């Protein structure tokens, strides 16, 4: 067998610059996602974090792409909550947010992290804010740190 190298990003955010784009729609949920993301970034040494609020999840990709292409940030964390029971056009909003966030990352080469909850109920959202499903805001922030680190290490 040939030799191979395994690469994995470190979770040290020292010196990294982050933007966090947060949807106001379902603000009680998104504020908790933001608290988790900020906590994770701070605990791992990030000192440069800008927060940008947008109306809803549908608006996240445009702002995320602008921030990612600005040359100011190493990564952009996108936080929102689309709840099926409260969003008549759930599939459309969730799908467009996901594809737009992906496109922003691919178009800019900057990690743009999907931290948008797409759930059926508020209870499911709460489970993802430190409940039995973990804290998705923290996970999104950790993903951003790891991706910045990983991309720096790759050729």
């Amino acid at each position: 067998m040939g030799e191979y190298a395994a690469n994995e990003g470190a979770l040290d955010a020292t010196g990294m610059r982050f933007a966090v784009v947060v949807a106001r729609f379902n603000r009680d949920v998104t504020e908790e996602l933001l608290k988790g993301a900020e906590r994770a970034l701070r605990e791992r040494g990030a000192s440069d974090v800008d927060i940008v609020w947008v109306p809803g999840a549908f608006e996240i990709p445009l702002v995320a792409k602008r921030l990612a292409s600005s040359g100011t940030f190493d990564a952009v964390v996108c936080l929102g909550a689309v709840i099926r029971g409260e969003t008549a056009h759930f599939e459309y909003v969730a799908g467009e947010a996901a594809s737009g966030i992906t496109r922003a990352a691919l178009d800019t080469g900057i990690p743009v992290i999907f931290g948008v909850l797409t759930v059926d109920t508020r209870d499911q959202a709460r489970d993802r804010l430190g409940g039995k499903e973990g804290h998705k805001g923290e996970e999104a922030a950790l993903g951003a740190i790891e991706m910045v680190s990983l991309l720096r290490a790759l050729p």
Side-chain angles (χ1 to χ4, degrees):
M1 286 245 183
E3 298 218 9
Y4 66 92
N7 289 292
E8 185 174 307
L11 290 176
D12 179 1
T14 304
M16 294 180 185
R17 299 164 304 167
F18 298 92
V20 183
V21 182
V22 191
R24 278 193 313 269
F25 196 79
N26 291 314
R27 190 173 186 136
D28 59 316
V29 175
T30 63
E31 283 179 342
E32 291 303 316
L33 287 170
L34 176 59
K35 287 177 187 174
E38 287 181 306
R39 182 172 51 250
L41 292 169
R42 186 176 51 253
E43 287 174 356
R44 282 155 186 87
S47 57
D48 193 355
V49 180
D50 286 11
I51 312 300
V52 179
W53 289 89
V54 298
F58 192 83
E59 291 77 27
I60 291 172
L62 178 61
V63 172
K65 184 174 179 181
R66 170 75 59 94
L67 294 168
S69 62
S70 72
T72 303
F73 303 102
D74 296 303
V76 179
V77 178
C78 302
L79 304 175
V82 186
I83 302 172
R84 184 183 305 274
E86 298 175 16
T87 306
H89 47 296
F90 173 86
E91 286 82 7
Y92 183 69
V93 172
E96 289 301 317
S99 64
I101 290 168
T102 300
R103 201 163 46 250
L106 295 174
D107 288 353
T108 64
I110 297 295
V112 181
I113 306 301
F114 185 81
V116 178
L117 298 183
T118 54
V119 296
D120 291 324
T121 66
R122 278 195 173 272
D123 285 342
Q124 289 175 344
R126 279 190 285 278
D127 287 344
R128 288 157 177 79
L129 297 172
K132 61 185 175 186
E133 298 293 331
H135 198 296
K136 299 306 179 187
E138 289 177 2
E139 290 174 19
L142 294 175
I145 297 167
E146 184 174 353
M147 286 299 295
V148 171
S149 176
L150 178 61
L151 288 173
R152 287 178 175 176
L154 291 175

